[in-house]
Amino acid sequence: MRFGPKENEMNQGINLSVFEIVGSPLCVASDDGQKVHDRIAAALKEGRKVSLSFLNVTSITSAFLNAAIGQLYGECSEEAIRANLQVTDMAQDDLALLKRVVDTAKAYFKDREGFRRAVNEVLGDETDAK
Amino acid sequence: MKFRLPSTIRHDQAGFEELVDLNSKAGEIAFDEIEIDMGSVTWLDADMCAALGGILYRLSAELNEIKLTGIRPDVEGILSRNGFLSHYGREKTPDRYGTTIPYQRFEVKDDRYFANYIEDQFIHRSEMPSMSTGLQKKFRESVFEIFSNAVIHSQTQMGIFSCGQFFRAKHRLVFTVADLGIGIRRNIEQSRGITMRADAAISWATEGRNTTKNGAIPGGLGLKLLREFITLNKGVLRIVSDAGYWELSGGNTRTHLFGYPFPGTVVNIEINTSDKHSYMLGSELAESDIF
């Protein structure tokens, strides 16, 4: 899935509350992160800018953030995410965790792409040899 | 079938070795009565109930009847207060000393239930150790990371077991999470096609950008975050998975290969509650610098 902005809708932003989506201050489960991801992804798909608020969230895990935000890097370009997604109301240590998750996700998808290309080359070679 | 536990079971290499030995001796027994003779036990670190409970649960799932016998009064006291013995026919007694985080079994879908258990049993109890706000948050997030790791990676069908203990005089809070899943070695083998020894597999999982994830959701941070936190805190992190033992203490790691496997993975964290490190960042991060 690749998301592209619809130019006439691009400026209509949407505010999403993590606390409201999860229904708890404890953002620890990957499944809950998936719910947040699905809302962000749907909004980005419609060409909306997303502001994601972590107000009233007290605990966050990397598993939650990997599902909520990390996986966006497998669906959108870094530029699109940088241009259309912002986070608010995060404590400094939570921001640091999010930064680690984002950097890890970028590397993960680059590695995965490289791995896939290498596999395809090997399979291609085998196909050629037949 | 009768098995005798040794005099001491601590949360260290020797203690875990005793438990993997018990698991191995019990093997694939089914439809039997299994008596665990605890008459010699004079000390059992209460948090080790998570690993012992996992092994006994595996045996009871084979329709064996588990009986714990000969328990000395002081050992019985602590195992009653943390709720372990209530799984084996005894009543739970109140924790007058306020030093236990109860033994509990969770399903993999119980993330929220687990989070609430930590809040209720640790964060909202006045008798738990006084720690800096930063340390308390890091501890809480660390145990959530451990649980999430078990949920995401273990593929367990039999649940996740946890238990904690506060050693007031030593300023140490110890918490253990055990699962009955495939273990780190097999997980790496299945997902990355790399074959390695069980102790090397644990080292692999705690280093660099290594991850067994290969789907749409990235991963591979949880154990690294734990490792960094425990190093700063001057605590101890122990991981038992399959036949591998891995320990981080004083910033140094060491490994060992047991003669027999644990039927899953155990993560044990021991934190130094007198740690005054603020866990605040040296430089400010702006929200606009994240993506």
Side-chain angles (χ1 to χ4, degrees):
Chain A
M1 180 168 51
R2 284 276 155 191
F3 301 138
K6 295 176 183 173
E7 282 181 23
N8 57 339
E9 294 173 350
M10 197 64 235
N11 293 328
Q12 288 183 300
I14 182 167
N15 298 311
L16 298 177
S17 160
V18 172
F19 184 88
E20 189 268 329
I21 298 168
V22 174
S24 163
L26 307 174
C27 295
V28 299
S30 185
D31 287 353
D32 285 332
Q34 185 66 42
K35 290 176 198 152
V36 174
H37 162 269
D38 293 347
R39 300 254 192 127
I40 300 171
L44 293 179
K45 193 177 175 187
E46 290 302 311
R48 305 296 184 94
K49 282 182 184 286
V50 175
S51 177
L52 188 67
S53 168
F54 284 82
L55 188 66
N56 297 321
V57 170
T58 58
S59 284
I60 310 175
T61 62
S62 64
F64 175 88
L65 290 175
N66 272 320
I69 294 174
Q71 68 172 315
L72 291 171
Y73 286 87
E75 301 161 346
C76 306
S77 68
E78 286 181 35
E79 293 74 24
I81 293 171
R82 201 176 298 125
N84 298 309
L85 178 62
Q86 69 169 100
V87 292
T88 61
D89 309 312
M90 275 190 116
Q92 272 293 311
D93 54 335
D94 294 334
L95 270 179
L97 176 61
L98 177 57
K99 179 75 177 152
R100 290 281 296 272
V101 165
V102 164
D103 291 346
T104 304
K106 288 176 184 173
Y108 172 79
F109 286 111
K110 275 188 188 128
D111 287 353
R112 208 170 66 143
E113 192 51 41
F115 180 70
R116 194 181 291 135
R117 219 176 290 127
V119 168
N120 285 342
E121 277 170 21
V122 170
L123 291 176
D125 289 348
E126 284 177 358
T127 308
D128 291 346
K130 281 177 186 170
Chain B
M1 189 78 69
K2 184 173 179 174
F3 302 99
R4 183 185 293 269
L5 289 184
S7 60
T8 56
I9 299 179
R10 297 184 190 276
H11 45 240
D12 57 15
Q13 183 183 318
F16 283 112
E17 188 137 36
E18 294 292 351
L19 295 187
V20 297
D21 192 42
L22 166 69
N23 181 66
S24 164
K25 283 179 184 157
E28 303 303 319
I29 299 170
F31 295 101
D32 204 343
E33 182 179 295
I34 295 181
E35 180 185 346
I36 308 292
D37 179 357
M38 296 180 67
S40 306
V41 179
T42 55
W43 183 269
L44 192 155
D45 279 340
D47 54 287
M48 290 294 274
C49 288
L52 176 60
I55 290 169
L56 298 184
Y57 191 85
R58 180 188 78 76
L59 295 172
S60 73
E62 297 295 330
L63 297 174
N64 295 297
E65 193 176 336
I66 311 289
K67 289 189 172 161
L68 305 183
T69 60
I71 310 174
R72 296 182 183 209
D74 48 348
V75 174
E76 179 148 6
I78 194 150
L79 300 188
S80 298
R81 288 196 295 279
N82 77 0
F84 182 72
L85 290 181
S86 55
H87 293 251
Y88 302 100
R90 269 76 148 193
E91 288 188 5
K92 185 178 185 312
T93 57
D95 180 9
R96 282 179 292 123
Y97 307 105
T99 57
T100 66
I101 300 177
Y103 169 76
Q104 202 142 341
R105 177 182 166 274
F106 300 89
E107 295 292 342
V108 288
K109 289 191 178 303
D110 289 342
D111 309 62
R112 284 194 181 199
Y113 184 33
F114 178 81
N116 286 327
Y117 150 85
I118 292 299
E119 295 287 305
D120 293 344
Q121 298 297 337
F122 174 73
I123 305 299
H124 295 151
R125 281 172 59 184
S126 57
E127 64 270 31
M128 277 290 149
S130 159
M131 299 193 285
S132 72
T133 309
L135 178 58
Q136 194 179 86
K137 190 173 182 210
K138 292 297 286 185
F139 169 73
R140 186 166 48 175
E141 287 172 356
S142 295
V143 296
F144 292 156
E145 290 284 358
I146 296 169
F147 190 85
S148 289
N149 237 35
V151 168
I152 293 169
H153 297 292
S154 73
Q155 301 176 34
T156 177
Q157 303 293 315
M158 286 195 277
I160 298 168
F161 306 79
S162 72
C163 193
Q165 179 74 24
F166 176 41
F167 297 89
R168 202 182 295 274
K170 295 178 181 170
H171 303 287
R172 293 272 156 166
L173 179 63
V174 188
F175 193 79
T176 301
V177 175
D179 70 61
L180 296 173
I182 63 168
I184 296 171
R185 181 186 65 82
R186 280 171 58 201
N187 197 359
I188 294 170
E189 204 167 273
Q190 283 181 9
S191 64
R192 313 297 292 184
I194 306 169
T195 302
M196 58 178 88
R197 271 171 43 153
D199 52 346
I202 306 172
S203 298
W204 183 92
T206 60
E207 286 167 4
R209 278 167 31 196
N210 294 337
T211 179
T212 54
K213 295 293 288 288
N214 52 22
I217 302 176
L221 255 185
L223 287 178
K224 286 88 181 180
L225 293 169
L226 262 180
R227 186 176 175 160
E228 289 168 15
F229 165 53
I230 292 297
T231 301
L232 272 177
N233 172 255
K234 297 186 169 51
V236 185
L237 174 61
R238 303 175 185 93
I239 302 175
V240 175
S241 188
D242 200 307
Y245 177 83
W246 180 96
E247 183 181 299
L248 168 71
S249 180
N252 300 311
T253 60
R254 68 180 187 85
T255 60
H256 176 74
L257 195 64
F258 292 135
Y260 307 101
F262 181 84
T265 297
V266 186
V267 179
N268 168 275
I269 67 169
E270 176 178 328
I271 68 160
N272 165 21
T273 60
S274 59
D275 176 15
K276 300 297 178 210
H277 195 279
S278 72
Y279 295 96
M280 299 305 284
L281 298 170
S283 59
E284 293 278 301
L285 255 179
E287 285 162 348
S288 56
D289 294 337
I290 301 301
F291 302 116

